Amino acid sequence: MARVKLVLPETFTFKTVLDVRVSEINYGNHVGNDRMVSLLHEARLRFLRSFGFGEFNIAGLGIMVTDLMVEFKSESFVGENLQFEVGVNDFNKYGCDFIYRVTCADEGRLVTLAKTGIVFFDYDERKIARIPKKFTDLVSSQKTLDSNNTSS
């Protein structure tokens, strides 16, 4: 079976830590795939907040996820602290990709690699919109941020 391969960015410019709660655990006694997607969503929101943005207010526009790829490398369990590193690449006129590397913060074990493709969306007009220059300028010039050391 052919596998999707994820190309990682040279650097991840944001990181945050989320603890695994019992509500993330499935019948296999590890983080469920649907719950990992929710954790990725939280990491993306924290990334956006580090710039003063929200998912529905990035220079007056919102975002919409257009595709998702998750590659599981190891299990994760209740009580583990997961470090989410986030980078942004593959910009086009309407959006970009958010790339994630998730590791167990206590062990350094790789848990997940993932990507969410997004487009900018004008929810008032109900149509795709051009990527805001303010977003690309801020994201492109960003130094590595740790959400635990910022006001987000």
Side-chain angles (χ1 to χ4, degrees):
M1 175 170 85
R3 299 271 181 203
V4 177
K5 293 294 179 190
L6 180 63
V7 177
L8 299 178
E10 286 184 29
T11 60
F12 288 90
T13 55
F14 178 82
K15 64 182 175 180
T16 191
V17 175
L18 298 168
D19 62 318
V20 176
R21 302 169 304 173
V22 71
S23 60
E24 271 95 47
I25 301 304
N26 67 10
Y27 55 85
N29 203 31
H30 55 228
V31 172
N33 56 34
D34 59 326
R35 297 306 182 154
M36 181 56 74
V37 172
S38 293
L39 292 167
L40 295 169
H41 186 165
E42 177 65 27
R44 183 176 63 246
L45 181 58
R46 289 182 182 193
F47 172 85
L48 292 170
R49 285 184 177 164
S50 73
F51 294 106
F53 297 139
E55 289 186 309
F56 296 104
N57 186 16
I58 302 171
L61 298 172
I63 61 171
M64 182 180 290
V65 174
T66 57
D67 58 71
L68 167 71
M69 183 280 224
V70 181
E71 182 179 353
F72 293 96
K73 297 296 194 174
S74 67
E75 297 174 293
S76 52
F77 304 98
V78 167
E80 288 185 337
N81 294 304
L82 298 181
Q83 178 174 274
F84 289 75
E85 295 174 277
V86 182
V88 182
N89 66 14
D90 201 19
F91 289 90
N92 62 60
K93 64 182 176 178
Y94 298 112
C96 58
D97 289 339
F98 282 76
I99 309 296
Y100 312 84
R101 179 171 51 202
V102 183
T103 55
C104 177
D106 302 324
E107 300 173 17
R109 171 177 37 86
L110 181 61
V111 174
T112 303
L113 299 172
K115 172 191 98 78
T116 51
I118 62 106
V119 294
F120 284 82
F121 196 78
D122 184 327
Y123 281 89
D124 292 332
E125 298 291 323
R126 308 301 302 172
K127 64 180 186 178
I128 293 173
R130 287 190 168 273
I131 191 168
K133 184 174 181 343
K134 181 177 182 179
F135 178 82
T136 55
D137 289 349
L138 285 171
V139 170
S140 299
S141 67
Q142 183 184 12
K143 304 275 189 278
T144 300
L145 288 178
D146 184 332
S147 74
N148 299 316
N149 295 329
T150 66
S151 59
S152 17

